[in-house]
Amino acid sequence: YRIRNSAQTQFSVFDNGEIESISCGKVQVNLIQGSPMGLGCCNIYLRLHTDKYESISLLGSAIHGMQLIDDKNYEVKGQFKGIEYACRLLLVEDMNAWLWSVQLYNTTDLEAEVDLIAVQDVGLSCANGNEKNNYYISQYVDYQSLQHPEHGPIVCCRQNEHGPDSIPWLALGCLDKTASFSTDGVQFYGYQYR
């Protein structure tokens, strides 16, 4: 499926919900192409705080709910340990911007502490040029955290290798408030991911 807006922001999604790629015009946002086998180029995890952390992927082939995917929508609904969730991709019309809207509802009588973790692979290179060496492309991505008084840290990513028409950049944040961030997948996935 190709979900796109009028500003040429496009999400390419496999039938099972894994995200293959995100592009804005000629620029591919993600570094590594997603696969239908899992771990696409972006995801959102619901994490439940108990005596240990328990988490579930809200997007892709590992979901435990129902998904609606077509040329205009990507929406997932399910339940995890008594927490109902609904996650929806929203592309902003006439802008190279998107949002993930996530709604949570606790169906139990117990108080639950949860958080959401957004994971985004960043390459910001020509959409047809990512066959180049991934290490080469990634060494030119610069990350800077800027503090917003209302929304918390905003992670700004800039590809310092000149793109097709400009030097591409990306800002990642949360409208409610970002609590923390990391810029290395190892910090989230661990060394066993490699």
Side-chain angles (χ1 to χ4, degrees):
Y1 296 96
R2 305 269 187 252
I3 304 166
R4 62 177 62 110
N5 68 8
S6 59
Q8 297 183 343
T9 300
Q10 175 177 287
F11 276 66
S12 297
V13 183
F14 292 109
D15 288 342
N16 66 355
E18 292 293 343
I19 297 174
E20 177 184 12
S21 66
I22 304 168
S23 60
C24 295
K26 297 177 185 175
V27 175
Q28 183 170 302
V29 173
N30 52 294
L31 176 65
I32 298 171
Q33 291 285 106
S35 162
M37 306 303 263
L39 287 176
C41 64
C42 77
N43 213 321
I44 299 174
Y45 294 85
L46 169 60
R47 185 169 67 171
L48 179 63
H49 300 248
T50 57
D51 53 336
K52 61 180 184 198
Y53 289 118
E54 298 178 80
S55 63
I56 185 172
S57 167
L58 297 187
L59 307 175
S61 60
I63 68 151
H64 303 288
M66 76 95 179
Q67 33 186 19
L68 165 68
I69 309 170
D70 61 30
D71 293 335
K72 302 261 185 234
N73 299 291
Y74 182 19
E75 187 171 356
V76 178
K77 292 182 179 180
Q79 183 171 317
F80 176 64
K81 306 277 184 175
I83 306 294
E84 288 183 355
Y85 60 86
C87 178
R88 184 173 186 202
L89 171 64
L90 303 169
L91 295 182
V92 179
E93 266 315 305
D94 301 324
M95 292 179 67
N96 282 322
W98 67 89
L99 303 163
W100 290 102
S101 172
V102 180
Q103 298 173 344
L104 304 174
Y105 178 72
N106 185 355
T107 63
T108 71
D109 293 333
L110 302 173
E111 189 173 304
E113 183 181 352
V114 299
D115 56 15
L116 295 168
I117 300 170
V119 176
Q120 176 63 61
D121 177 39
V122 177
L124 299 173
S125 186
C126 295
N128 61 0
N130 277 2
E131 294 82 27
K132 294 187 271 183
N133 185 311
N134 290 335
Y135 294 112
Y136 178 82
I137 294 170
S138 64
Q139 77 177 350
Y140 289 102
V141 178
D142 183 38
Y143 299 95
Q144 177 70 42
S145 171
L146 302 177
Q147 190 66 33
H148 189 279
E150 188 177 332
H151 303 296
I154 308 293
V155 178
C156 299
C157 316
R158 179 177 177 224
Q159 174 55 264
N160 291 308
E161 185 180 72
H162 199 277
D165 300 319
S166 63
I167 298 178
W169 63 274
L170 174 70
L172 302 166
C174 179
L175 294 178
D176 289 335
K177 190 161 189 175
T178 302
S180 63
F181 68 93
S182 67
T183 58
D184 189 341
V186 172
Q187 293 170 303
F188 177 73
Y189 291 112
Y191 289 106
Q192 68 277 8
Y193 174 66
R194 292 182 166 202

